[in-house]
Amino acid sequence: MWDDAFPSFLIGLREGLEAGLIVSILVATLVRSGARSRLPQVWTGVLAAIALAMSFGAVLTFTAASLSATAQEAFGGTLSVIAVAFVTGMVFWMRRSARSLSGEIKEKVTGALAMGAGVLIGTSFLAVGREGLETALFLWTTAQAAGESAGPLTGAAIGLVLAAGLCWGLYRRVLKINLTKFFTATGAVLIVIAAGVLGYGLRDLQEGGVLPGKSAYAVDLSGSIDAGSWYSTLVQGVFNVTPVMTWLQVVGYTGYLAVVMTLFLRGVRAAAPEPTPRKTGSARDAARTARRRPAWLVPVAVVTVPAVIAGLAVAFGRPKPGGDQTVAVSEKDCGKGFTAPTPGRRTFQMHNTGDKTSEVYLVDPATNAVYGEIEGLAPGTTRALVATVAGGTYAWRCVPAGGTAVTSRAVRVTGGPGAKAVVPVSENDLAGPLRQYKAYVGRGLSTLVAQTRTLSADIKGGHLSRGRTDWLTAHRTYASLGAAYGTFEAFDQKIDGRADGLPDGVHDKDFTGFHRIEYGLWHGEPAASLTAPAQRLAADAAGLQRAFPHQDFDPGDLPLRAHEILENTLQFELTADTDQGSGTNLATADANLAGTRELLTVLKPLLTTRAPHLLPTVDADTARLQKLLDAAHHGGHWTPVERLDATTRARVNGATGQLLEDLAPVPDLLEIRKSA
């Protein structure tokens, strides 16, 4: 998050300082001239500008969210390029004007003061409004590049607060800042950041089909650079330089940086126009102030009007849903009533006219790639299938229960770039990853058997201190095999079952395995009472090792477990729900993360071809969570979950939740579909 915050911090600081200087001088002039009664006019203008900027941000966010994926890429890319233009212009203007900025502002303020309430409101509104609009646009584009909004918003907020503090200090004459040096230094950094935003925007335009060359890569270091490392995350977050870049991105980035930075460092200056003296208008001012209106009317209006306009823009800017098609499904006739739809987000009403429950897929008949699906469509029922349609070939495939798949005639849709489809996965595709993972589990079980025997020997010999260490080692080994739990059948309850639901709780005779021994080791039970449970654990581990090669391991479980392992971690380990006294839930969470990483390794070939941008994101978030878990590990000791401070605990939970969200598409991407 913090790597994504820096660019927004810098823009918030600069834009906030630029607007704040005008407002602070405006306020100082009014106070020193004995016109404090006119301060509400200044704050009304500021309030109006903030409302306008926030409304603009809402329009960007919600109208973009209603676009198709391709249109969002094009929209975001276009606004990124516009944001770069604004930032570039702002950098050069401030570089040229910083030396005389204070004098120019005072002249504008004096003129506004003489011209009356309307001009005074307008001056403060324009001062803050222009910077607010630029800030909103830049924040939106950086949030799009980062893939999250928390970092950019946090950075901008810190920058704006710091700018407000600096302006207050200048107003109170407790600070002196060399504006020329300040805007020169930050301008050079912003040019580098803007080059990255331009590169990101060009990539979006390529993804949106506006610009060519999206597959022409100039740089591909994904195989040699760890996308989740701290240095890679920092570079990507601050400068938007990624391990994989197209030729257009590289040319745009380097070209912009070379040209703009050269001109900036040469000190390009444009002659500042001489300020035009303003005529005073005290008579008009007096006439205006004589008009009486409710004090609340103008502030309410300046906030309400932008919000209403933004609401209308969002409402009317959303694409209108196209007319639904009703498509018939049966075991003999699939897709009756299907005609070529117009491009866009479309809803199809799928009506099963047959006698059997069917699965229905909207597919590309040439590749079997799936655009949308409905599972278990019962006879006589109708359900909606929503899919984004663009240029390409489409057909319906119906798979009745116990019957043969039927494919409709294909239709051709002309329009923009093709919609994203998921290439189906067959059991054969998952056969290789399944063999690899079973081999990993087999090795883990061999290690587990040896470790549980060592633990049993420790306890039998009365070496309980050593037993606590060896207990954690063995338990972490078992926790790293999470994707196979569903295959372990009754052994999982014996080896890692909890006391929940047992009549006598932790003292119940059926409470066995790791948690039974954990309770005894950390609650002062003697070795004699733990010897039998330890021997039973070793025997159950050996029994699982013998049984595992003959147990049924559904290949479809592999994609499901990618998400479920950490889901259980969040539910049980990070709540300390399974803790029986050892305080080692974070150690177990660390082992779960290692098991998830191993699972993703065997699934990587299938995921790379279907979602090439998913794994770098997952790797980065995995590294973020790993770093937080490592911070809780001190030699042989792990900080208990309950002893984490509130901030750290929230970060661990947040990082786990984010990784869960990133892994959520994996089951859909690698689902075994009958249509394949």
Side-chain angles (χ1 to χ4, degrees), residues 10 14 180-190 264:
L10 198 60
R14 284 180 61 97
T180 301
K181 291 183 178 179
F182 175 82
F183 286 118
T184 299
T186 57
V189 177
L190 268 181
F264 182 78

Side-chain angles (χ1 to χ4, degrees), residues 22-85:
I22 299 175
V23 173
S24 60
I25 293 174
L26 208 68
V27 171
T29 304
L30 290 172
V31 170
R32 290 167 193 167
S33 62
R36 286 179 176 270
S37 61
R38 302 186 64 183
L39 286 177
Q41 298 167 6
V42 175
W43 300 124
T44 297
V46 172
L47 190 63
I50 294 173
L52 178 65
M54 295 180 69
S55 299
F56 179 57
V59 171
L60 289 179
T61 301
F62 293 110
T63 55
S66 65
L67 299 175
S68 67
T70 302
Q72 284 190 45
E73 300 283 4
F75 182 67
T78 301
L79 289 184
S80 294
V81 174
I82 294 173
V84 169

Side-chain angles (χ1 to χ4, degrees), residues 567-582:
E567 198 170 59
N568 288 336
T569 301
L570 191 62
Q571 181 180 357
F572 298 116
E573 305 305 335
L574 299 186
T575 59
D577 190 51
T578 58
D579 183 32
Q580 294 296 333
S582 68

Side-chain angles (χ1 to χ4, degrees), residues 478 488-498 509-517 533-534 536-541 543-544 546-547 551:
Y478 185 78
F488 289 169
E489 298 174 349
F491 281 103
D492 183 52
Q493 179 61 32
K494 295 177 182 178
I495 293 174
D496 205 38
R498 295 179 294 155
K509 60 181 179 60
D510 292 327
F511 181 36
T512 63
F514 278 111
H515 292 301
R516 167 65 184 92
I517 298 171
R536 182 173 176 180
L537 172 63
D540 287 336
L544 175 59
R546 290 191 298 271
Q551 290 174 331

Side-chain angles (χ1 to χ4, degrees), residues 438-462:
K438 289 180 74 172
Y440 163 77
V441 174
R443 294 191 298 271
L445 290 176
S446 296
T447 302
L448 179 67
V449 169
Q451 291 171 343
T452 52
R453 286 172 178 168
T454 300
L455 172 61
S456 179
D458 291 339
I459 292 175
K460 185 177 181 179

Side-chain angles (χ1 to χ4, degrees), residues 458 471 603 634 640 669:
D458 291 339
W471 175 90
L603 294 176
H634 312 284
L669 289 170

